[in-house]
Amino acid sequence: MCDKLLAQCGRGWFDAGGAFNCFTTDAIVEYCYGESPGFLDQEGWEPNCKDVFEALETRSHFTRHLPWVRRMLYWVPLSIMRTISSTYDAPLRYHVQMPGRLKRVIAVGGTGEATLRPVFAELLQSDLPPQEKTPKRLAYDSNGAALAGPQSTATTLSNIVYHLVKQPDIANRLQEEVMANVPDPAELPSWPTLEKLPYLSAVILEGLRLIFDFSQERLSYEPSQERLARVAVDEDLQYEDHRGMENGSLPAKTVYTIPRGTAVGMSACLVHLDESIFPEPNEFRPERWLDDAGQRHSRLDRYLLSFSKGSRFCVGFQLAYCVLYVGVAELALRVLPRLEVRDRRRHGDDQVYDDHGEKEPRKTTKGYDMRVVDV
C-alpha cells in the first residue's frame, strides 16, 4: 500500500476511503483464501468494493422483508449486472469469485499439502466437528469475512489517518515511537511486537472508538453503529438505573423488569460518546488510553464496543487489529509526513441523516480526499 501511495506523489487528489479499501480487501482476502483479488495491483484506486458495500447496505430494508430478492441476485449472470452498472463490474466479479476461491482452498488446504495456510485451510485441518466444515457452512463464514471485514477496517484506517494529518502533534509523537522501535522501515516487526508500542495502540483504540465518525467518511458497513440487539429467552432481566445517585432527581436505585423474549438493543456510539466515560468524547485523544507514565492501561477496554460483545463478538477482530497495526505503523514511517487531506464536508454532514441498519450521513456526504506531496 505504501509503495502505491508514494507512487501517487504529484498526481493530485484521490478518495481516501477507496484507497484504504483496496488495501484492506487485498490483505484480508489473501489471509483468508491464500490469494489476493489484486486491487492494489491496478493503476489507480478504482474500482474497489466500497461502492458495492454501500449499495448492498442501502437496500437492506428491502431485502430484509423480501429475502428472496437477495437470493435471486446470486443467480443473475455477471454480464447482465455489468450492463446495469459498469461501476460494479470489478467488485461484483470479486464477490462472484469467492466460491471459486473457497473451492480451491477446500481442494488443496483440506489435504494438508498447501504451502500457505490461509484461514479456511486451517479450519479444514482443525478438530472442529464435520458439520462445521461443510462447504455450505464455510461459504457462510466466507461471505462474512469477505464482506464485513474489509470495509469496516478501511473505515477505521481512514478515520485514523484523517486525525493524524489534522493533528500533527499526535502524528509526530506516533512517528517518534514507531521510529524508535523499528530500525528498518522496509522490515516491519511482527504484529505482537507492534502491539507492545503503547502510543500506537492508543491511536488505534481511539480510531476504533470514533469509527462511526461519519463526518470524515461515508460508512457503508459499520457494526459499531448497529443496535446490538439481544434476547433473553429463558429469564426475565433486571435492569438497575443508578442515575438517581448522581443527580438526586430519581430514587437512588430504580429496578426495571424486562420480560423474557424481549429484544433489547443499543448503539455502541451511546457508550463511545458518554462524557462520564470518555471526557470530551468528540475529540480524538489517544492519551485517554494511557496512564500517567505513558503506558497502556485497560480501564476503558470494557467500554470499547467496536467489535460488539458477548456471543456475537466479531470473530475477525484479531485480523482487523493486525491489519490496523501494520497499516498505521507503516504509514507513520513512510507516508504520513507527505500526506495532505482536503475536507469535502458541508454543514450538517456530521449529523445522523439515515438508517439502513446503522446510522448514516446524508447521501451527498463526500468525506475527504488526500494527496501525496514532496517534502
Side-chain angles (χ1 to χ4, degrees):
M1 175 182 64
C2 288
D3 289 339
K4 184 166 183 174
L5 283 170
L6 292 173
Q8 298 292 315
C9 181
R11 297 188 181 182
W13 300 97
F14 55 90
D15 176 57
F20 292 128
N21 180 275
C22 290
F23 164 61
T24 56
T25 302
D26 276 7
I28 290 174
V29 171
E30 183 169 2
Y31 188 80
C32 290
Y33 300 95
E35 57 183 65
S36 165
F39 286 112
L40 284 177
D41 297 330
Q42 60 190 359
E43 179 65 23
W45 302 105
E46 295 179 353
N48 55 68
C49 290
K50 178 185 171 187
D51 290 337
V52 169
F53 294 137
E54 183 175 319
L56 291 173
E57 199 59 34
T58 55
R59 289 159 177 78
S60 61
H61 291 320
F62 186 75
T63 56
R64 181 180 182 87
H65 295 287
L66 298 172
W68 58 269
V69 174
R70 182 173 62 249
R71 291 193 295 269
M72 185 181 69
L73 289 176
Y74 287 101
W75 297 96
V76 178
L78 186 60
S79 58
I80 296 179
M81 297 298 293
R82 185 182 298 119
T83 302
I84 296 173
S85 176
S86 60
T87 303
Y88 295 162
D89 180 17
L92 283 172
R93 188 167 61 249
Y94 149 81
H95 184 62
V96 169
Q97 289 171 348
M98 284 302 162
R101 290 192 175 96
L102 184 58
K103 288 180 181 178
R104 288 191 288 275
V105 171
I106 294 174
V108 179
T111 64
E113 298 176 358
T115 55
L116 296 176
R117 298 301 299 273
V119 170
F120 291 106
E122 291 289 347
L123 286 176
L124 289 168
Q125 291 295 309
S126 70
D127 56 359
L128 286 172
Q131 62 268 26
E132 298 291 333
K133 300 179 183 180
T134 63
K136 184 176 181 180
R137 174 54 191 266
L138 291 176
Y140 283 126
D141 292 336
S142 169
N143 278 334
L147 291 175
Q151 182 58 19
S152 53
T153 309
T155 298
T156 306
L157 189 57
S158 177
N159 185 37
I160 290 173
V161 169
Y162 177 88
H163 286 292
L164 290 176
V165 175
K166 286 293 187 179
Q167 302 182 65
D169 54 332
I170 296 177
N172 291 337
R173 181 173 175 181
L174 174 64
Q175 287 177 281
E176 290 173 2
E177 180 185 73
V178 176
M179 292 176 65
N181 290 273
V182 181
D184 184 3
E187 295 291 336
L188 280 182
S190 64
W191 168 39
T193 301
L194 293 173
E195 270 191 311
K196 297 176 183 178
L197 303 183
Y199 200 72
L200 173 60
S201 298
V203 167
I204 290 172
L205 290 170
E206 188 71 346
L208 286 167
R209 185 183 71 85
L210 291 176
I211 188 176
F212 53 84
D213 182 4
F214 37 69
S215 63
Q216 322 303 345
E217 182 61 60
R218 270 204 54 80
L219 308 187
S220 56
Y221 176 78
E222 183 29 57
S224 73
Q225 300 173 33
E226 294 180 357
R227 299 178 185 88
L228 309 178
R230 302 290 186 269
V231 178
V233 296
D234 299 321
E235 59 180 332
D236 296 338
L237 298 179
Q238 302 297 318
Y239 176 77
E240 297 183 357
D241 189 346
H242 296 269
R243 287 178 296 174
M245 297 180 180
E246 300 174 3
N247 53 37
S249 60
L250 298 171
K253 182 175 73 172
T254 304
V255 179
Y256 300 93
T257 299
I258 302 174
R260 69 191 67 187
T262 303
V264 180
M266 56 163 284
S267 292
C269 59
L270 297 177
V271 178
H272 291 180
L273 296 179
D274 189 329
E275 293 186 1
S276 66
I277 302 171
F278 301 102
E280 299 181 273
N282 293 303
E283 298 297 321
F284 188 85
R285 286 177 44 200
E287 291 77 14
R288 71 175 83 243
W289 301 92
L290 304 175
D291 59 24
D292 293 338
Q295 299 301 309
R296 263 275 289 134
H297 65 71
S298 58
R299 294 192 299 272
L300 297 175
D301 290 8
R302 62 180 296 191
Y303 302 111
L304 187 67
L305 305 178
S306 303
F307 296 104
S308 185
K309 294 286 186 182
S311 61
R312 302 298 295 173
F313 191 79
C314 174
V315 297
F317 78 100
Q318 290 181 320
L319 178 55
Y321 270 120
C322 179
V323 172
L324 288 172
Y325 271 93
V326 172
V328 174
E330 190 165 12
L331 285 167
L333 287 171
R334 302 182 57 195
V335 183
L336 197 57
R338 305 176 64 175
L339 278 183
E340 292 183 353
V341 299
R342 179 178 65 181
D343 205 327
R344 296 191 294 167
R345 294 174 295 170
R346 299 179 303 167
H347 178 70
D349 279 356
D350 57 345
Q351 302 298 315
V352 175
Y353 190 79
D354 211 341
D355 188 338
H356 292 102
E358 62 272 342
K359 301 173 186 64
E360 294 181 354
R362 70 177 90 208
K363 301 299 182 194
T364 55
T365 298
K366 299 296 185 180
Y368 77 92
D369 291 336
M370 63 183 183
R371 66 179 178 183
V372 183
V373 299
D374 287 321
V375 293

Tab-separated table of all heavy atoms in Angstrom, residues 331-366:
chain	number	residue	atom	x	y	z
A	331	LEU	N	2.401	3.411	7.561
A	331	LEU	CA	2.035	4.756	7.112
A	331	LEU	C	2.789	5.815	7.904
A	331	LEU	O	3.264	6.816	7.334
A	331	LEU	CB	0.530	4.966	7.264
A	331	LEU	CG	-0.362	4.277	6.226
A	331	LEU	CD1	-1.813	4.308	6.676
A	331	LEU	CD2	-0.215	4.942	4.855
A	332	ALA	N	2.921	5.614	9.207
A	332	ALA	CA	3.635	6.577	10.044
A	332	ALA	C	5.104	6.679	9.648
A	332	ALA	O	5.690	7.761	9.671
A	332	ALA	CB	3.512	6.182	11.514
A	333	LEU	N	5.688	5.569	9.267
A	333	LEU	CA	7.106	5.558	8.915
A	333	LEU	C	7.384	6.127	7.526
A	333	LEU	O	8.367	6.830	7.319
A	333	LEU	CB	7.641	4.123	8.980
A	333	LEU	CG	7.837	3.514	10.369
A	333	LEU	CD1	8.158	2.032	10.245
A	333	LEU	CD2	8.960	4.226	11.116
A	334	ARG	N	6.513	5.860	6.571
A	334	ARG	CA	6.860	6.120	5.185
A	334	ARG	C	6.033	7.195	4.484
A	334	ARG	O	6.550	7.868	3.582
A	334	ARG	CB	6.752	4.817	4.393
A	334	ARG	CG	7.620	3.675	4.914
A	334	ARG	CD	7.481	2.441	4.052
A	334	ARG	NE	7.819	2.728	2.666
A	334	ARG	CZ	7.509	1.919	1.646
A	334	ARG	NH1	6.836	0.806	1.865
A	334	ARG	NH2	7.848	2.252	0.409
A	335	VAL	N	4.772	7.358	4.866
A	335	VAL	CA	3.877	8.177	4.056
A	335	VAL	C	3.311	9.377	4.797
A	335	VAL	O	3.116	10.444	4.204
A	335	VAL	CB	2.709	7.311	3.502
A	335	VAL	CG1	1.816	8.136	2.593
A	335	VAL	CG2	3.234	6.096	2.766
A	336	LEU	N	3.042	9.225	6.075
A	336	LEU	CA	2.303	10.236	6.816
A	336	LEU	C	2.854	11.659	6.670
A	336	LEU	O	2.091	12.612	6.493
A	336	LEU	CB	2.225	9.843	8.297
A	336	LEU	CG	1.155	10.559	9.124
A	336	LEU	CD1	-0.228	10.360	8.520
A	336	LEU	CD2	1.193	10.067	10.558
A	337	PRO	N	4.188	11.872	6.727
A	337	PRO	CA	4.694	13.248	6.586
A	337	PRO	C	4.405	13.869	5.219
A	337	PRO	O	4.498	15.093	5.070
A	337	PRO	CB	6.204	13.080	6.801
A	337	PRO	CG	6.362	11.781	7.526
A	337	PRO	CD	5.269	10.914	7.009
A	338	ARG	N	4.040	13.058	4.242
A	338	ARG	CA	3.812	13.574	2.891
A	338	ARG	C	2.336	13.620	2.511
A	338	ARG	O	2.005	13.932	1.363
A	338	ARG	CB	4.578	12.697	1.889
A	338	ARG	CG	6.068	12.580	2.213
A	338	ARG	CD	6.799	11.637	1.292
A	338	ARG	NE	6.795	12.096	-0.080
A	338	ARG	CZ	7.465	11.488	-1.068
A	338	ARG	NH1	8.175	10.394	-0.806
A	338	ARG	NH2	7.413	11.958	-2.295
A	339	LEU	N	1.466	13.320	3.454
A	339	LEU	CA	0.037	13.307	3.170
A	339	LEU	C	-0.608	14.654	3.464
A	339	LEU	O	-0.292	15.307	4.450
A	339	LEU	CB	-0.667	12.230	3.999
A	339	LEU	CG	-0.639	10.787	3.491
A	339	LEU	CD1	-1.447	9.894	4.421
A	339	LEU	CD2	-1.159	10.680	2.065
A	340	GLU	N	-1.522	15.029	2.595
A	340	GLU	CA	-2.401	16.173	2.838
A	340	GLU	C	-3.835	15.708	2.661
A	340	GLU	O	-4.104	14.810	1.850
A	340	GLU	CB	-2.101	17.323	1.866
A	340	GLU	CG	-0.750	17.984	2.085
A	340	GLU	CD	-0.535	19.156	1.133
A	340	GLU	OE1	-1.394	19.358	0.226
A	340	GLU	OE2	0.477	19.858	1.286
A	341	VAL	N	-4.765	16.287	3.420
A	341	VAL	CA	-6.172	15.922	3.285
A	341	VAL	C	-6.981	17.155	2.916
A	341	VAL	O	-6.650	18.280	3.289
A	341	VAL	CB	-6.727	15.283	4.580
A	341	VAL	CG1	-5.981	14.011	4.915
A	341	VAL	CG2	-6.691	16.255	5.742
A	342	ARG	N	-8.043	16.934	2.177
A	342	ARG	CA	-8.954	18.003	1.763
A	342	ARG	C	-10.361	17.621	2.203
A	342	ARG	O	-10.927	16.625	1.747
A	342	ARG	CB	-8.911	18.182	0.243
A	342	ARG	CG	-9.853	19.270	-0.270
A	342	ARG	CD	-9.719	19.433	-1.779
A	342	ARG	NE	-10.140	18.245	-2.510
A	342	ARG	CZ	-10.106	18.127	-3.832
A	342	ARG	NH1	-9.624	19.137	-4.558
A	342	ARG	NH2	-10.506	17.017	-4.434
A	343	ASP	N	-10.893	18.420	3.098
A	343	ASP	CA	-12.220	18.155	3.640
A	343	ASP	C	-13.286	18.559	2.633
A	343	ASP	O	-13.279	19.675	2.122
A	343	ASP	CB	-12.400	18.953	4.936
A	343	ASP	CG	-13.416	18.315	5.863
A	343	ASP	OD1	-14.371	17.726	5.335
A	343	ASP	OD2	-13.242	18.390	7.088
A	344	ARG	N	-14.189	17.660	2.324
A	344	ARG	CA	-15.261	17.946	1.365
A	344	ARG	C	-16.637	17.965	2.024
A	344	ARG	O	-17.657	17.868	1.353
A	344	ARG	CB	-15.250	16.897	0.243
A	344	ARG	CG	-13.992	16.932	-0.601
A	344	ARG	CD	-14.165	16.075	-1.827
A	344	ARG	NE	-14.285	14.665	-1.495
A	344	ARG	CZ	-14.698	13.725	-2.343
A	344	ARG	NH1	-15.054	14.064	-3.565
A	344	ARG	NH2	-14.771	12.468	-1.975
A	345	ARG	N	-16.665	18.114	3.333
A	345	ARG	CA	-17.945	18.126	4.038
A	345	ARG	C	-18.655	19.462	3.881
A	345	ARG	O	-18.043	20.486	3.654
A	345	ARG	CB	-17.732	17.851	5.528
A	345	ARG	CG	-17.229	16.457	5.826
A	345	ARG	CD	-16.907	16.329	7.303
A	345	ARG	NE	-15.800	17.199	7.683
A	345	ARG	CZ	-15.435	17.429	8.927
A	345	ARG	NH1	-16.089	16.863	9.911
A	345	ARG	NH2	-14.409	18.214	9.203
A	346	ARG	N	-19.978	19.390	4.079
A	346	ARG	CA	-20.798	20.585	4.130
A	346	ARG	C	-21.454	20.674	5.498
A	346	ARG	O	-21.385	19.744	6.292
A	346	ARG	CB	-21.888	20.536	3.055
A	346	ARG	CG	-21.359	20.464	1.628
A	346	ARG	CD	-22.525	20.403	0.661
A	346	ARG	NE	-23.387	19.266	0.966
A	346	ARG	CZ	-24.613	19.111	0.456
A	346	ARG	NH1	-25.108	20.027	-0.357
A	346	ARG	NH2	-25.336	18.055	0.755
A	347	HIS	N	-22.077	21.792	5.747
A	347	HIS	CA	-22.765	21.955	7.023
A	347	HIS	C	-23.839	20.876	7.186
A	347	HIS	O	-24.659	20.659	6.294
A	347	HIS	CB	-23.426	23.337	7.095
A	347	HIS	CG	-24.208	23.559	8.362
A	347	HIS	ND1	-23.599	23.709	9.582
A	347	HIS	CD2	-25.545	23.620	8.583
A	347	HIS	CE1	-24.541	23.869	10.513
A	347	HIS	NE2	-25.716	23.823	9.928
A	348	GLY	N	-23.816	20.197	8.317
A	348	GLY	CA	-24.799	19.158	8.595
A	348	GLY	C	-24.359	17.768	8.215
A	348	GLY	O	-25.047	16.787	8.526
A	349	ASP	N	-23.195	17.615	7.557
A	349	ASP	CA	-22.744	16.293	7.154
A	349	ASP	C	-22.313	15.429	8.335
A	349	ASP	O	-22.124	14.221	8.173
A	349	ASP	CB	-21.580	16.406	6.160
A	349	ASP	CG	-22.065	16.692	4.753
A	349	ASP	OD1	-23.291	16.717	4.557
A	349	ASP	OD2	-21.220	16.883	3.863
A	350	ASP	N	-22.120	16.049	9.498
A	350	ASP	CA	-21.710	15.275	10.662
A	350	ASP	C	-22.913	14.839	11.504
A	350	ASP	O	-22.750	14.372	12.623
A	350	ASP	CB	-20.739	16.083	11.529
A	350	ASP	CG	-21.335	17.407	11.985
A	350	ASP	OD1	-22.354	17.813	11.413
A	350	ASP	OD2	-20.764	18.023	12.903
A	351	GLN	N	-24.128	14.954	10.949
A	351	GLN	CA	-25.329	14.584	11.680
A	351	GLN	C	-25.912	13.282	11.113
A	351	GLN	O	-25.736	12.959	9.940
A	351	GLN	CB	-26.389	15.698	11.576
A	351	GLN	CG	-25.912	17.047	12.086
A	351	GLN	CD	-25.561	17.012	13.556
A	351	GLN	OE1	-26.298	16.452	14.362
A	351	GLN	NE2	-24.433	17.611	13.914
A	352	VAL	N	-26.634	12.567	11.986
A	352	VAL	CA	-27.328	11.358	11.542
A	352	VAL	C	-28.442	11.757	10.588
A	352	VAL	O	-29.264	12.607	10.898
A	352	VAL	CB	-27.912	10.588	12.741
A	352	VAL	CG1	-28.733	9.398	12.249
A	352	VAL	CG2	-26.796	10.130	13.659
A	353	TYR	N	-28.473	11.140	9.433
A	353	TYR	CA	-29.450	11.518	8.406
A	353	TYR	C	-30.312	10.339	7.969
A	353	TYR	O	-31.451	10.509	7.558
A	353	TYR	CB	-28.721	12.093	7.192
A	353	TYR	CG	-29.628	12.737	6.168
A	353	TYR	CD1	-30.139	14.024	6.356
A	353	TYR	CD2	-29.975	12.061	5.000
A	353	TYR	CE1	-30.975	14.611	5.429
A	353	TYR	CE2	-30.806	12.640	4.057
A	353	TYR	CZ	-31.294	13.925	4.270
A	353	TYR	OH	-32.128	14.504	3.338
A	354	ASP	N	-29.769	9.127	8.053
A	354	ASP	CA	-30.483	7.976	7.539
A	354	ASP	C	-30.126	6.757	8.382
A	354	ASP	O	-29.185	6.791	9.176
A	354	ASP	CB	-30.116	7.730	6.069
A	354	ASP	CG	-31.266	7.112	5.294
A	354	ASP	OD1	-32.182	6.552	5.936
A	354	ASP	OD2	-31.255	7.191	4.056
A	355	ASP	N	-30.879	5.675	8.196
A	355	ASP	CA	-30.646	4.455	8.946
A	355	ASP	C	-30.948	3.265	8.064
A	355	ASP	O	-32.082	3.060	7.639
A	355	ASP	CB	-31.523	4.425	10.201
A	355	ASP	CG	-31.174	3.269	11.128
A	355	ASP	OD1	-30.577	2.296	10.638
A	355	ASP	OD2	-31.505	3.341	12.320
A	356	HIS	N	-29.919	2.509	7.741
A	356	HIS	CA	-30.085	1.267	6.995
A	356	HIS	C	-29.471	0.121	7.797
A	356	HIS	O	-28.621	-0.619	7.314
A	356	HIS	CB	-29.424	1.356	5.616
A	356	HIS	CG	-30.107	2.302	4.694
A	356	HIS	ND1	-29.626	3.569	4.441
A	356	HIS	CD2	-31.262	2.188	3.986
A	356	HIS	CE1	-30.433	4.190	3.602
A	356	HIS	NE2	-31.437	3.375	3.309
A	357	GLY	N	-29.927	-0.008	9.030
A	357	GLY	CA	-29.319	-0.982	9.926
A	357	GLY	C	-28.260	-0.337	10.773
A	357	GLY	O	-27.916	-0.800	11.850
A	358	GLU	N	-27.679	0.743	10.311
A	358	GLU	CA	-26.761	1.574	11.082
A	358	GLU	C	-26.971	3.027	10.690
A	358	GLU	O	-27.543	3.324	9.649
A	358	GLU	CB	-25.299	1.174	10.872
A	358	GLU	CG	-24.785	1.320	9.474
A	358	GLU	CD	-25.048	0.069	8.664
A	358	GLU	OE1	-25.295	-0.985	9.246
A	358	GLU	OE2	-25.006	0.188	7.430
A	359	LYS	N	-26.513	3.909	11.534
A	359	LYS	CA	-26.704	5.336	11.257
A	359	LYS	C	-25.824	5.759	10.087
A	359	LYS	O	-24.709	5.283	9.942
A	359	LYS	CB	-26.359	6.151	12.505
A	359	LYS	CG	-27.216	5.778	13.704
A	359	LYS	CD	-26.718	6.496	14.931
A	359	LYS	CE	-27.473	6.006	16.154
A	359	LYS	NZ	-27.226	4.582	16.423
A	360	GLU	N	-26.339	6.671	9.281
A	360	GLU	CA	-25.599	7.134	8.117
A	360	GLU	C	-25.786	8.633	7.949
A	360	GLU	O	-26.807	9.189	8.340
A	360	GLU	CB	-26.083	6.418	6.845
A	360	GLU	CG	-25.790	4.938	6.821
A	360	GLU	CD	-26.274	4.292	5.544
A	360	GLU	OE1	-26.932	4.990	4.740
A	360	GLU	OE2	-25.997	3.107	5.341
A	361	PRO	N	-24.806	9.290	7.337
A	361	PRO	CA	-24.983	10.702	6.990
A	361	PRO	C	-25.797	10.806	5.713
A	361	PRO	O	-26.215	9.802	5.132
A	361	PRO	CB	-23.542	11.176	6.764
A	361	PRO	CG	-22.856	9.954	6.235
A	361	PRO	CD	-23.484	8.785	6.944
A	362	ARG	N	-26.019	12.018	5.255
A	362	ARG	CA	-26.775	12.207	4.022
A	362	ARG	C	-26.027	11.606	2.832
A	362	ARG	O	-24.804	11.444	2.849
A	362	ARG	CB	-27.050	13.696	3.809
A	362	ARG	CG	-25.842	14.520	3.458
A	362	ARG	CD	-26.261	15.965	3.200
A	362	ARG	NE	-26.231	16.756	4.420
A	362	ARG	CZ	-27.007	17.806	4.643
A	362	ARG	NH1	-27.903	18.151	3.748
A	362	ARG	NH2	-26.911	18.494	5.752
A	363	LYS	N	-26.766	11.271	1.807
A	363	LYS	CA	-26.195	10.581	0.650
A	363	LYS	C	-25.113	11.394	-0.052
A	363	LYS	O	-24.219	10.836	-0.685
A	363	LYS	CB	-27.294	10.250	-0.358
A	363	LYS	CG	-28.405	9.386	0.191
A	363	LYS	CD	-27.903	8.058	0.652
A	363	LYS	CE	-29.045	7.188	1.155
A	363	LYS	NZ	-28.565	6.025	1.902
A	364	THR	N	-25.194	12.699	0.039
A	364	THR	CA	-24.251	13.554	-0.694
A	364	THR	C	-22.952	13.796	0.072
A	364	THR	O	-22.079	14.508	-0.411
A	364	THR	CB	-24.908	14.908	-1.002
A	364	THR	OG1	-25.390	15.495	0.218
A	364	THR	CG2	-26.075	14.726	-1.959
A	365	THR	N	-22.821	13.212	1.261
A	365	THR	CA	-21.598	13.408	2.036
A	365	THR	C	-20.393	12.868	1.260
A	365	THR	O	-20.419	11.742	0.770
A	365	THR	CB	-21.701	12.696	3.395
A	365	THR	OG1	-22.777	13.270	4.121
A	365	THR	CG2	-20.423	12.854	4.186
A	366	LYS	N	-19.355	13.655	1.157
A	366	LYS	CA	-18.194	13.293	0.347
A	366	LYS	C	-16.996	12.825	1.174
A	366	LYS	O	-16.017	12.336	0.622
A	366	LYS	CB	-17.764	14.490	-0.511
A	366	LYS	CG	-18.830	14.970	-1.491
A	366	LYS	CD	-19.157	13.923	-2.515
A	366	LYS	CE	-20.133	14.446	-3.553
A	366	LYS	NZ	-20.472	13.442	-4.573
